[in-house]
Amino acid sequence: TTVVITEDDLYQIMLSDISNSSNPFGVKTEGASYDDMRQFLITEVEKTPEKKIKIAGSRDASYEAVFQVLALSKARGWKPVLAYD
């Protein structure tokens, strides 16, 4: 599962290959707030046995937007990987 943080600090989610969920937060959308996408993200990451999450973001995304996902990852015991464009 990958979370993409846009330059406007909105979140888009790219699902893992094993997910069969409908994705209201895909990269073809403008994105959603952290609060709006949080529970969906939790559900999707925790479907995977590895609990890995890639956090990708625009260089113009705020640190706060990135750290919200990092903090959630730490609290839930996920394995985050950072990347940015």
Side-chain angles (χ1 to χ4, degrees):
T1 304
T2 300
V3 174
V4 178
I5 304 165
T6 70
E7 61 189 20
D8 298 322
D9 294 337
L10 296 175
Y11 299 84
Q12 301 167 326
I13 299 173
M14 296 169 32
L15 298 177
S16 68
D17 293 337
I18 66 168
S19 178
N20 61 358
S21 298
S22 173
N23 184 359
F25 306 109
V27 294
K28 293 183 180 176
T29 68
E30 8 178 291
S33 71
Y34 176 80
D35 290 336
D36 287 345
M37 70 85 197
R38 182 179 181 278
Q39 189 55 54
F40 182 80
L41 180 64
I42 290 170
T43 300
E44 291 303 316
V45 172
E46 294 188 355
K47 279 183 183 177
T48 65
E50 312 86 24
K51 296 193 177 26
K52 290 183 182 177
I53 181 171
K54 181 178 177 184
I55 303 167
S58 165
R59 289 181 188 256
D60 296 327
S62 72
Y63 288 114
E64 181 182 352
V66 174
F67 282 111
Q68 280 186 297
V69 179
L70 277 174
L72 177 64
S73 298
K74 182 177 179 182
R76 309 263 333 165
W78 299 345
K79 299 172 185 142
V81 175
L82 293 176
Y84 69 96
D85 303 340

